[in-house]
């Protein structure tokens, strides 16, 4: 990826300086340049262009390159040009999903078998909630807190169970593995999964039963883990909180929120129920953070298990 102001003209080729210092400078033949470049090089001073290294002779000072694409950036759409450059530089797949991709995705149904399989981790009547940016559409994680008495709490983290819908070896699985993650750009999102999954079936939207995978700890206010459990679960989020809402609850734990300020709260819970739980999570997080600073704690993964 090059910006043309870093190109220096010669007789039959120009020397191209890459934006990434790890990529060698290269010679690009003049006849591959955009129309008008030779006569008005300054007009392309902010243009982004994509080139590849073709070969590098043993005695050559520069590699020999080939211009692949001039993506603009001057009088063109700057955001579009920058986006195209990012996609190319990081080899991001932004192709549309195949039209028949949804044929691989089963319909959303919760069967008696599903309920029986996840009975130990049925959180549909618990106070489970999500906390995300206001613009988030795919809600893939949620949390819950229950006071068990005696200074002990049950803390749960619930992740959308994509594996319930995406089976190994399917086209959805292959594309998702290649993409690895959803990519958030300034003006668009490149989803890892088809929209039916990331914005519907696997989005932990409030008031709707969803498949998830849960990690549940029993811990005290100091963050000491007394017991842990893992398993496939069912949840029904009671509220889609934004970061701003959670911060308000942390800073003003006794605040009576005016009607309409918070998103709709389901399952019979109230803003006070959410505030109490967020306060507990914040206290535990603060205590864990202090321990990490004091004892220089770090995450260690047991690879012997």
């Amino acid at each position: 990826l090059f910006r043309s102001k870093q190109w220096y003209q010669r007789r039959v080729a120009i020397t191209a300086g890459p934006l990434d210092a790890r990529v060698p400078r290269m010679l690009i033949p003049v006849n591959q340049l955009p129309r008008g470049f030779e006569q008005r090089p300054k007009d392309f001073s902010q243009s982004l262009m994509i080139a590849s290294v073709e070969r590098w002779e043993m005695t050559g000072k520069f590699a020999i390159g080939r211009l692949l694409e001039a993506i603009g950036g001057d009088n063109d759409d700057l955001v579009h040009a920058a986006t195209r450059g990012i996609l190319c530089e990081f080899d991001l797949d932004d192709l549309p999903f195949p039209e028949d991709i949804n044929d691989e995705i089963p319909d959303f149904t919760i069967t008696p078998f599903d309920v029986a399989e996840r009975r130990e981790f049925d959180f549909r009547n618990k106070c489970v909630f999500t906390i995300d940016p206001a613009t988030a559409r795919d809600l893939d994680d949620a949390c819950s807190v229950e006071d068990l008495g005696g200074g002990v709490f049950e803390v749960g983290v619930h992740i959308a169970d994509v594996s319930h819908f995406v089976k190994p070896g399917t086209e959805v699985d292959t594309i998702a593995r290649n993409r690895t993650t959803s990519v958030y750009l300034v003006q668009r999102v490149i989803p890892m999964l088809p929209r039916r999954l990331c914005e519907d079936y696997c989005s932990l939207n409030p008031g709707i039963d969803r498949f998830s995978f849960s990690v549940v700890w029993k811990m005290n206010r100091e963050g000491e883990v007394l017991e842990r459990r893992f398993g496939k679960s069912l949840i029904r989020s009671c509220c889609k909180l934004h970061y701003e809402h959670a911060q308000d609850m942390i800073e003003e734990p006794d605040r009576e929120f005016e009607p309409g300020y918070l998103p709709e709260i389901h399952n019979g819970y109230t803003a006070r129920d959410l505030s109490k739980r967020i306060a507990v999570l914040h206290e535990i997080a603060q205590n864990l953070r202090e321990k990490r600073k004091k004892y220089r704690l770090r995450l260690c993964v047991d690879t012997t298990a």
Side-chain angles (χ1 to χ4, degrees), residues 234-253:
L234 291 169
I235 69 169
R236 184 189 304 128
S237 171
C238 71
C239 191
K240 176 189 175 183
L241 291 175
H242 304 158
Y243 290 148
E244 295 81 3
H245 301 141
Q247 190 62 40
D248 287 344
M249 291 177 177
I250 290 171
E251 295 176 355
E252 303 176 81

Side-chain angles (χ1 to χ4, degrees), residues 18-285:
L19 298 181
D20 188 339
R22 297 171 298 178
V23 179
R25 296 171 70 183
M26 65 186 79
L27 296 175
I28 304 293
V30 171
N31 61 8
Q32 295 180 9
L33 300 177
R35 180 179 301 177
F37 186 95
E38 293 183 79
Q39 295 76 25
R40 305 182 310 278
K42 290 184 179 180
D43 290 354
F44 298 83
S45 62
Q46 294 298 315
S47 293
L48 288 171
M49 302 186 190
I50 301 172
S52 65
V53 175
E54 294 291 288
R55 67 184 188 278
W56 198 344
E57 304 293 345
M58 292 292 293
T59 58
K61 183 177 181 180
F62 302 112
I64 305 300
R66 178 167 64 92
L67 184 65
L68 300 178
E69 183 179 354
I71 57 179
D74 280 321
N75 298 322
D76 302 316
D77 184 341
L78 295 177
V79 174
H80 171 77
T83 298
R84 181 73 186 91
I86 291 171
L87 296 177
C88 175
E89 184 175 4
F90 295 98
D91 194 23
L92 299 176
D93 174 14
D94 69 329
L95 294 175
F97 286 96
E99 293 184 2
D100 60 349
I101 198 71
N102 287 332
D103 295 343
E104 294 186 348
I105 303 173
D107 293 334
F108 186 96
T109 57
I110 298 179
T111 66
F113 174 81
D114 295 324
V115 174
E117 181 186 33
R118 300 167 187 251
R119 181 176 291 111
E120 184 183 353
F121 293 89
D122 192 340
F123 288 84
R124 287 179 291 177
N125 293 320
K126 298 286 185 72
C127 187
V128 179
F129 50 93
T130 60
I131 305 176
D132 289 280
T135 56
R137 293 182 295 180
D138 50 339
L139 314 179
D140 54 10
D141 55 79
C143 53
S144 62
V145 186
E146 296 296 331
D147 189 344
L148 302 179
V152 177
F153 299 88
E154 180 186 82
V155 178
V157 173
H158 316 279
I159 308 298
D161 186 2
V162 179
S163 66
H164 185 81
F165 301 98
V166 179
K167 303 307 177 184
T170 60
E171 190 170 14
V172 179
D173 178 53
T174 300
I175 294 174
R177 283 174 178 270
N178 290 335
R179 295 192 176 191
T180 308
T181 183
S182 296
V183 178
Y184 290 81
L185 300 169
V186 172
Q187 84 290 15
R188 60 180 289 206
V189 177
I190 302 173
M192 181 180 73
L193 297 166
R195 294 197 180 277
R196 177 180 291 183
L197 291 177
C198 66
E199 294 182 11
D200 190 2
Y201 292 2
C202 297
S203 185
L204 307 180
N205 299 319
I208 304 174
D209 291 357
R210 286 290 181 251
F211 293 99
S212 56
F213 192 93
S214 299
V215 182
V216 183
W217 300 273
K218 283 185 181 178
M219 62 173 62
N220 58 27
R221 292 183 182 272
E222 297 301 315
E224 296 174 324
V225 176
L226 310 175
E227 181 183 317
R228 62 177 63 85
R229 297 181 294 142
F230 306 83
K232 292 184 176 181
S233 55
L234 291 169
I235 69 169
R236 184 189 304 128
S237 171
C238 71
C239 191
K240 176 189 175 183
L241 291 175
H242 304 158
Y243 290 148
E244 295 81 3
H245 301 141
Q247 190 62 40
D248 287 344
M249 291 177 177
I250 290 171
E251 295 176 355
E252 303 176 81
D254 298 320
R255 175 176 170 181
E256 294 292 336
F257 291 94
E258 55 273 21
Y261 179 77
L262 296 175
E264 182 179 359
I265 302 175
H266 302 261
N267 307 347
Y269 290 103
T270 65
R272 184 61 183 157
D273 294 324
L274 294 171
S275 289
K276 288 167 57 178
R277 286 164 169 80
I278 287 176
V280 171
L281 288 175
H282 180 64
E283 181 181 358
I284 292 174

